[in-house]
Amino acid sequence: MNEPKAAEEYDGVTEQHKSMTLAANDSAPRVARSFTRDVLTAWGLEDLMDQAVLIVSELTTNAERHGRRSEDGEDTSSGSPDKASEEITLTLAVQADVVAIDVEDNSPYAPIQQIPGQYATSGRGLCLVSAMADSWTTRPTADGTGKRVSAFISRAESSAAS
């Protein structure tokens, strides 16, 4: 069971993090998955690989498909938006056996988890994130022009002890 821990228990536990900026195009999920595999391998967190890669793939796909929206809701992907509106930032961080996955895009609109129809070909991404992550959340970026979706996964108690 995941019990809250006091801040003192994390004193001296360093956080590691790696970020990359991706072009918001069809190759973004593939590049993000590869980056995630490389980073988790370097950190010795192969046991969280499948969960992390699936979450990264779904969040990056959402950012690529829906993260290029102007404030009036107009899709800017077919016009000539500024460069920043075509980028996705992926950040992976680990501290005390908890991996944080942050995907930032330039749409200020929070993602909405859907219940897709039986024959729907899309709309299951956030359901998968909910199933695979210990928790997830979204919040606006500091300047309010975009959002950051964060998901958290942790090692099982038995894995962390071995």
Side-chain angles (χ1 to χ4, degrees):
M1 178 179 216
N2 289 336
E3 294 290 325
K5 295 184 180 181
E8 302 85 49
E9 292 185 49
Y10 296 111
D11 286 346
V13 177
T14 58
E15 176 185 30
Q16 298 179 72
H17 66 278
K18 290 260 188 190
S19 293
M20 74 174 311
T21 301
L22 305 153
N25 59 35
D26 290 343
S27 67
R30 177 184 49 79
V31 173
R33 287 189 300 268
S34 179
F35 174 78
T36 300
R37 284 185 199 98
D38 291 346
V39 170
L40 292 185
T41 298
W43 290 344
L45 295 169
E46 291 88 349
D47 54 312
L48 297 176
M49 187 82 66
D50 292 340
Q51 282 177 276
V53 168
L54 178 65
I55 292 166
V56 164
S57 186
E58 294 301 332
L59 294 181
T60 305
T61 298
N62 280 354
E64 184 266 323
R65 288 187 181 166
H66 308 292
R68 295 180 283 167
R69 305 282 178 188
S70 65
E71 288 190 21
D72 61 3
E74 189 176 321
D75 184 349
T76 60
S77 59
S78 59
S80 53
D82 62 47
K83 185 176 191 259
S85 67
E86 293 186 13
E87 292 180 339
I88 299 166
T89 302
L90 167 62
T91 302
L92 302 173
V94 64
Q95 184 175 26
D97 290 328
V98 175
V99 173
I101 300 165
D102 292 328
V103 176
E104 188 174 311
D105 64 46
N106 280 13
S107 171
Y109 303 108
I112 299 170
Q113 188 170 338
Q114 302 175 16
I115 306 297
Q118 181 178 0
Y119 300 107
T121 59
S122 64
R124 291 176 177 81
L126 292 177
C127 292
L128 291 170
V129 170
S130 291
M132 298 303 287
D134 295 330
S135 64
W136 71 276
T137 187
T138 185
R139 63 191 176 283
T141 55
D143 64 5
T145 61
K147 68 177 167 302
R148 176 177 291 153
V149 180
S150 301
F152 304 92
I153 55 175
S154 60
R155 284 183 158 165
E157 293 292 326
S158 60
S159 294
S162 359

